[in-house]
Amino acid sequence: MKLGVIGSPIEHSKSPEIHTNFANQFDLDLVFDKYLVNKDECLEWIKSFFESGGLGLSVTLPLKEVVLEIADDISLRAKQAAAANMLFLNNGKIYADCTDGLGLVTDLKTKEIDISDQKILILGAGGAAKGIVPSLLKENPNQVIVANRTLEKAVQLVAQIQELGGSQMKSSILMPSSLTLDNLENTSFDLVINATSASTSPDQNLEVDPSIFKGTAAALDLYYSQADTSFMKMAKEQSVAKVYDGWGMLVEQAAESFSQWTGFKPDTKGLLESRGA
Ligand code: NAP
C-alpha cells in the first residue's frame, strides 16, 4: 500500500509516524513517505504518483487548494472548504476530501468540550478556518463568529459557507468580525479556537484582547507544538480551564483519512496520550 504526504516545506510533517502507527495496529504492509512538492509541479506529480500504484495522499500547505483541480470527485466538505487535505484513488478516479473539520470535532468530543448550543469564536479566516467551520456548524452550535485581521476575508468565508449551506443557514449563527470584535461588545465565548497562523513563528504577534477569554471554558490552538503557544499562554493566564494545541486534531484528521484509504478504523488513543492530549 503506497501512501504519502505532499507539501512544501514537508520536513516537519508528523504524518509518516502517525500513519505507520495506524498501519501497525492492523499489520498492514504500508509505505508512507513525505514528498517535497511545489505548487507548479504538483498536478503532474500527483498524476504520476497514482499512475505508479499510489493509493492515497495527505496534502498540506501550500497545495490544499490547487489539488482540487486534479480531482474527479470532490466531497461537499472539501467544496465548502474550497480545499482538500487528502486525495484517494478509488475505482480509477481521484477523490478529494477535507477531513480537518471532522478531525477537530472528534478531538473536541474526546476532550469533552461541548460544541452543541455553544458560542464559538474562531480567530482567522484562512484555509484551516474554512475547513473547520462547516463541521462545527453540523454540531448545532448557538453561534460561530469568524474574526479575522483582514475583515474582508472573514466576510467572504461566511458568505461562501452560507451559499453552499443553503437557506437553512441562519446568518445569526455564522457571523464575520474583525479581530477587534468591535461589533460584539459584552459577548462571551464558550470556546475560542485559534485558526490563525500566528503561532507558526515566534516573530508573529496575535493581537487580540485577553478579554476574549472572559467566561471561556475551553481554548484550542490549531497549531501543534510541544511548548505552549502565546495564544495558549494567554488563555491560561485568563484562567481558561481546558487549553490545548492542535495535536489531537492532527491525529484525528489522519485517522479519518486512513479509514477511507484502507477500510480500517485506527485507535488514536496511544498517539493522543503520547502527547498528553
Ligand atoms: P492560512 O491559510 O495561511 O491563513 C492564515 C490566517 O492567519 C489568516 O486568516 C491570517 O489573517 C491570519 N494571521 C496570520 N498571522 C496573523 C497575525 N500575526 N495576527 C492575526 N492573524 C494572523 O493558514 P492555515 O492553513 O489556515 O493555517 C492556520 C493554522 O492552522 C496554522 O497554525 C496551521 O499549522 C494550523 N493547522 C492545523 C491543523 C491540524 O491538523 N492541527 C490542520 C490545518 C492547519 P489575514 O487574512 O489577515 O492575513
Side-chain angles (χ1 to χ4, degrees):
M1 217 176 268
K2 187 168 131 186
L3 298 164
V5 57
I6 55 171
S8 175
I10 202 64
E11 210 34 60
H12 68 288
S13 175
K14 302 274 185 227
S15 292
E17 61 191 80
I18 292 173
H19 287 283
T20 303
N21 175 297
F22 294 161
N24 289 343
Q25 294 179 26
F26 306 101
D27 279 335
L28 294 180
D29 188 10
L30 176 146
V31 179
F32 195 111
D33 284 326
K34 40 187 165 190
Y35 302 99
L36 181 68
V37 178
N38 294 309
K39 239 182 189 170
D40 48 0
E41 59 173 332
C42 143
L43 299 182
E44 271 307 307
W45 192 97
I46 293 168
K47 205 164 152 252
S48 83
F49 177 83
F50 286 125
E51 279 170 2
S52 63
L55 173 70
L57 285 169
S58 284
V59 180
T60 187
L61 290 175
L63 310 177
K64 286 184 168 187
E65 288 90 9
V66 70
V67 295
L68 293 179
E69 289 176 29
I70 204 171
D72 300 300
D73 195 9
I74 302 172
S75 70
L76 175 62
R77 55 196 183 188
K79 281 184 191 151
Q80 285 173 322
N85 72 339
M86 75 87 102
L87 298 172
F88 177 23
L89 189 69
N90 195 10
N91 290 327
K93 294 197 163 173
I94 299 176
Y95 170 70
D97 193 8
C98 179
T99 62
D100 279 341
L102 182 74
L104 174 68
V105 167
T106 305
D107 184 44
L108 291 173
K109 288 182 178 173
T110 303
K111 294 179 162 75
E112 299 184 342
I113 295 172
D114 293 331
I115 308 171
S116 163
D117 212 26
Q118 304 294 296
K119 284 197 177 175
I120 303 172
L121 172 64
I122 296 174
L123 306 174
K130 280 187 201 153
I132 63 172
V133 169
S135 299
L136 290 169
L137 288 169
K138 276 177 82 178
E139 299 296 316
N140 298 315
N142 177 291
Q143 202 172 36
V144 175
I145 310 291
V146 178
N148 197 45
R149 183 175 60 180
T150 312
L151 174 61
E152 189 51 30
K153 272 172 69 180
V155 172
Q156 275 170 14
L157 183 157
V158 165
Q160 185 185 323
I161 292 174
Q162 278 170 340
E163 199 179 304
L164 282 162
S167 55
Q168 72 272 30
M169 174 83 69
K170 286 192 203 143
S171 56
S172 58
I173 293 183
L174 180 61
M175 282 173 57
S177 171
S178 71
L179 218 49
T180 54
L181 302 171
D182 293 342
N183 51 337
L184 291 160
E185 256 176 64
N186 298 323
T187 304
S188 62
F189 305 99
D190 302 299
L191 169 61
V192 180
I193 296 172
N194 182 19
T196 74
S197 53
S199 302
T200 56
S201 154
D203 313 329
Q204 293 206 55
N205 196 14
L206 178 60
E207 287 189 16
V208 287
D209 194 303
S211 67
I212 61 168
F213 294 112
K214 207 173 98 198
T216 297
L220 191 139
D221 195 331
L222 297 192
Y223 184 67
Y224 54 94
S225 154
Q226 293 286 354
D228 281 0
T229 63
S230 57
F231 168 86
M232 292 167 71
K233 283 182 195 155
M234 196 192 295
K236 285 182 179 176
E237 279 160 19
Q238 299 303 311
S239 306
V240 177
K242 294 183 166 189
V243 180
Y244 297 100
D245 76 339
W247 174 247
M249 169 177 164
L250 183 76
V251 171
E252 298 295 355
Q253 61 79 26
E256 171 62 16
S257 298
F258 185 89
S259 299
Q260 292 195 41
W261 293 326
T262 66
F264 292 95
K265 194 167 171 41
D267 187 346
T268 54
K269 206 162 169 255
L271 279 170
L272 295 178
E273 281 171 0
S274 71
R275 283 285 312 270

